[in-house]
Amino acid sequence: MTGDKEILVRSDNKCELCKSTSALSFYNVAPESASGHDSRVYLCAKCQAQLEKKEPLDSGYWKFLPEAMWSEVPAIQVIAWRMLNRLRQESWAAENLDMMYLDEDTLAWAKASGDHDNDSAPEFHKDANGNILSEGDSIVITKSLDVKGSNLNAKMGTIVKNIRLVKDNTEQIEGKIEGQTIVILTKYVRKQGS
């Protein structure tokens, strides 16, 4: 396992993908490599958010991949391969993916996430106006709602603080109203302050 100091020297204190020098932190490329390659890299917040599908994929942002894919660091090669696959509808990404070579172990690691089989567009919880909702946001209910299984009525204009996103359903969030946790459809809410 490469230590923090070695990674900082290797990265020259820059994002190992885009070469940014701001908002940097260590990132683990999941899952752990079966061949024992170090899975830690040094990346900026923007690269991490896009990798983790926490913000919409910006194909123009990833134009540095043709350079990053030739890195000698297997974890960087894995990220480049996965991102080129997500962007494969772009001609430049498809061309570079065709040129890219990964040894057998690194390719197995890159495929282990299954990310290359998925649609490139991450799905987000969005409010009635199309604003992306995040864990901990406050929302305003835009329609009076009867809560199933209770006599609680969530009135239009009610503010719900510290929402939680329902993991496998982008049309639902959870929040507390009058001390009771309820599921709310995202089409009936707007992000507070938006």
Side-chain angles (χ1 to χ4, degrees), residues 27-33 39-40 78-79 82 109-114:
Y27 179 81
N28 283 312
V29 180
E32 292 292 320
S33 168
S39 63
R40 291 182 348 123
V78 166
I79 292 172
R82 289 176 181 172
W109 180 19
K111 288 182 175 181
S113 70

Side-chain angles (χ1 to χ4, degrees), residues 5 7 16 22-23 28-30 43-44 54 59 69 86 107-108 124 130 145-146 151-152 159-160 170 172 181 188:
K5 287 182 181 177
I7 293 174
E16 292 189 83
S22 61
N28 283 312
V29 180
L43 301 180
C44 70
K54 291 183 177 175
S59 62
M69 70 185 211
R86 275 199 220 166
L107 183 60
F124 295 99
L145 305 169
D146 290 323
N151 59 358
L152 181 66
I159 296 173
V160 180
T170 58
Q172 296 179 346
T181 300
Y188 299 130

Side-chain angles (χ1 to χ4, degrees), residues 7 19 29-30 34 53 99 112 121 159 185:
I7 293 174
K19 306 303 180 203
V29 180
K53 299 182 179 181
M99 286 191 293
I159 296 173
L185 296 178

Side-chain angles (χ1 to χ4, degrees), residues 68-86:
M69 70 185 211
W70 300 112
S71 171
E72 293 179 11
V73 178
I76 296 295
Q77 295 171 3
V78 166
I79 292 172
W81 186 87
R82 289 176 181 172
M83 292 310 298
L84 286 169
N85 268 284
R86 275 199 220 166

